[in-house]
Amino acid sequence: VQLQASGGGLVQAGASLRLSCAASDRTSFGIGWFRQAPGKEREFISCIGWSGGSLHYRSSMKDRFTISRDYAKRTVYLQINNLKPEDTAIYYCAAMTTVAGGDRPDQYDNWGQGTQVTVSS
């Protein structure tokens, strides 16, 4: 599967963004979103199976981040509300390698190229 992330940009604090991850097919179990800020490790945000199951969030992100999927369009979305400067990072989507998903990067493959989100204060 090939993944294409999009929807990032430069926004002011308090704004919202919806990131998209378009998949070439649905051969994976589902899609996960991660982010990586400069000098920091890649951080899990959320994942969802194509069936809508295997829905997981990083506990600290449940209030402002919402994952969803459009099965027909083979696209998974990540809605981010009330953006903060500390959300500045490259956001990546990747394919789940197990039906359960997970919060570790090694539980995913076929990483997309990432989309940059920059939040100004």
Side-chain angles (χ1 to χ4, degrees), residues 95-111:
M96 290 163 49
T97 59
T98 67
V99 66
D103 60 4
R104 302 193 318 267
D106 65 2
Q107 293 171 308
Y108 296 81
D109 61 13
N110 298 102
W111 292 81

Side-chain angles (χ1 to χ4, degrees), residues 35-43 85-92 115-119:
R35 70 182 183 184
Q36 188 165 20
K40 294 189 176 181
E41 292 186 350
R42 196 161 294 192
E43 179 180 51
E86 51 264 41
D87 293 321
T88 295
I90 300 175
Y91 285 70
Y92 297 93
T115 184
Q116 175 72 48
V117 172
T118 303
V119 185

Side-chain angles (χ1 to χ4, degrees), residues 65-78:
F65 293 75
T66 303
I67 196 169
S68 62
R69 93 274 185 265
D70 187 320
Y71 187 85
K73 293 183 178 179
R74 301 190 307 275
T75 301
V76 173
Y77 304 100
L78 184 69

Side-chain angles (χ1 to χ4, degrees), residues 18-19 21 30-34 44-49 52-57 61-62 64-70 75-80 93-94 96 108:
R18 189 177 77 160
L19 308 183
C21 178
I31 301 295
W33 281 99
F34 288 74
F44 172 75
I45 301 171
S46 184
C47 66
I48 188 168
S54 300
L55 179 63
H56 303 292
Y57 287 94
M61 295 179 175
K62 287 183 178 179
R64 297 188 296 116
F65 293 75
T66 303
I67 196 169
S68 62
R69 93 274 185 265
D70 187 320
T75 301
V76 173
Y77 304 100
L78 184 69
Q79 177 75 31
I80 314 172
C93 58
M96 290 163 49
Y108 296 81

